[in-house]
Amino acid sequence: MQPVMTVDEVTAFLDREFPQIHDGGRVYAVERIAPGEAVVRLSASERHLRPGGTVSGPSMMALADLAAYVVILAHIGPVALAVTTNLAINFLRKPEPGDLIGTCRLLKLGKRLAVTECGIAGEGEIDLVAHATATYSVPPR
Amino acid sequence: MQPVMTVDEVTAFLDREFPQIHDGGRVYAVERIAPGEAVVRLSASERHLRPGGTVSGPSMMALADLAAYVVILAHIGPVALAVTTNLAINFLRKPEPGDLIGTCRLLKLGKRLAVTECGIAGEGEIDLVAHATATYSVPPR
Amino acid sequence: MQPVMTVDEVTAFLDREFPQIHDGGRVYAVERIAPGEAVVRLSASERHLRPGGTVSGPSMMALADLAAYVVILAHIGPVALAVTTNLAINFLRKPEPGDLIGTCRLLKLGKRLAVTECGIAGEGEIDLVAHATATYSVPPR
Amino acid sequence: MQPVMTVDEVTAFLDREFPQIHDGGRVYAVERIAPGEAVVRLSASERHLRPGGTVSGPSMMALADLAAYVVILAHIGPVALAVTTNLAINFLRKPEPGDLIGTCRLLKLGKRLAVTECGIAGEGEIDLVAHATATYSVPPR
């Protein structure tokens, strides 16, 4: 599966179509796009934290959802119409304070549905703090 | 299953323990607590919206997670230590602009795990815009 | 949502299209079809049991999947082509020995996807032993 | 994570504790145990098939559940008490007729919960036909 958009193209598309994700400060950054894979960073700000300075569950869910969207977008091209139909996440460990990296892989890129798997970990960490799967409904191509 | 906390007690507890959820403005309100059930409102602000003025998926995931926490808290008492272990959500319909109401029901309140089911709908609407299940690990009681 | 097939019509369709589900003896019975809802019984035989005589997890997953198929089929008519795309189940309590009743409700019946919610309980029991959600891809209608 | 049981030990344990899984003929075989991983084969018989000779969804769910149990068992030792609390599966492609291989990985082996991820594919195939995550409640150790 070859991507059809670059990191810069996806970033520009997100900025144009979904400026809200940067509301309150730019915290998400698309870091890497490769065949069947995308990597998105969450630079956690105050509003993503819980007592103890660790990233909240909803922030990890949002990261997984965005990373899934990015890997799909990068492989089908700039269509705003892909929508999440299902997201399931397991929280595995309490993250350390600091950025989180979401690495998302395409399990299926079908005519109507795209299914992705995302691992979330602290920077440079091997153990995942969360693991998610997300399904998107994609426009007919 | 009888609740052991009132709406005001749960609200005060959340304000004290999780002020971050009100970062950027108070948008969540615990509206009702009943045996085995809790109702939480999301008064969507700009940062919860997507193009077209509808509430974003991550905002609905955050609402489901909070509503699940509220129904558990209301039945086990004020313990900050309950943590989400799993959340699965199906997005059913594009919500209309406006507030969303999350109604969460306890499916199980066990010694170690609590399992909840949440329906999310627009105010006064019957059709759900999203349906979630969430599992929390609860401290031994 | 009005069903378009009766219990007998769905039963006859399943017998014709999916005889395998009765392999090793007829254990599933469609008991009720109502607007947006279907009820399916599992009369557990030896091969569905675990030590202690309780129904196995996989048997409950199969019941949830079948009940979801039944409620969809009953509302879209006899099309063999509906296929499960996602199933998520929470096991809540160890079931007592005996039959299990799966009650499945349509959360959404869309053009491409149908989403269902299923509660599984022992006969006459209120507390669920398992709760599942299932998504089916349905043929364009 | 080092396994503490061999393929033969796990197989013998399953035969002793869960003879029912071999009811109607021996179809599951533990093929490999490695650090954090287990591989289980489903040699599909008639009762696992759907029209067209492909393995049914419930058979894939049962394979994922068993493979998850095997990888956990292999790493915590022979305790029959581990029970599934949650299983979520995405069906990605219609499998070809023939055996299916379930490869299951430990995402977390905690004091109370073990979380696993399972990919299911035809023998020698790269594309997954299904992907599952399963959570087990494990006895205190």
Side-chain angles (χ1 to χ4, degrees), chain A residues 92-93 107-108 117 135, chain D residues 90 92-93 107-108 117:
Chain A
L92 305 170
R93 295 167 187 84
L107 295 177
K108 174 190 180 172
E117 170 199 17
T135 301
Chain D
N90 285 294
L92 305 170
R93 296 168 184 83
L107 295 177
K108 174 189 180 171
E117 170 200 17

Side-chain angles (χ1 to χ4, degrees), chain D residues 8-22 26 28:
Chain D
D8 291 350
E9 288 166 342
V10 169
T11 301
F13 178 85
L14 292 175
D15 292 353
R16 193 169 63 247
E17 300 289 333
F18 300 105
Q20 297 92 332
I21 66 176
H22 299 308
R26 178 173 289 269
Y28 297 107

Side-chain angles (χ1 to χ4, degrees), chain D residues 5 12 15 17 27 29-30 39-40 61 66 75 87 109 112 136:
Chain D
M5 295 177 76
D15 292 353
E17 300 289 333
V27 295
V30 180
V39 177
V40 177
M61 295 191 267
L66 178 61
H75 287 78
L87 188 142
L109 182 51
R112 297 168 12 156
Y136 270 69

Side-chain angles (χ1 to χ4, degrees), chain A residues 110-134:
Chain A
K111 279 194 201 62
R112 297 166 14 155
L113 293 177
V115 183
T116 66
E117 170 199 17
C118 298
I120 298 178
E123 183 151 29
E125 299 289 334
I126 290 167
D127 287 342
L128 299 179
V129 296
H131 178 276
T133 57

Side-chain angles (χ1 to χ4, degrees), chain C residues 49 54 87-88 90 92-93 110:
Chain C
L49 302 183
T54 64
L87 188 142
N90 284 295
L92 305 170
R93 296 166 186 83

Side-chain angles (χ1 to χ4, degrees), chain A residues 24-96:
Chain A
R26 178 173 289 269
V27 295
Y28 297 108
V30 179
E31 298 225 320
R32 179 166 179 270
I33 288 169
E37 189 177 290
V39 178
V40 178
R41 170 186 299 261
L42 168 62
S43 303
S45 75
E46 258 317 307
R47 79 170 190 282
H48 302 94
L49 302 184
R50 284 279 181 269
T54 65
V55 172
S56 70
S59 301
M60 288 188 260
M61 294 191 267
L63 174 59
D65 186 49
L66 178 61
Y69 184 67
V70 165
V71 72
I72 293 165
L73 200 66
H75 287 78
I76 68 176
V79 286
L81 294 172
V83 294
T84 315
T85 58
N86 174 273
L87 188 141
I89 185 164
N90 285 294
F91 297 99
L92 305 170
R93 295 167 187 84
K94 190 187 174 79
E96 299 296 319

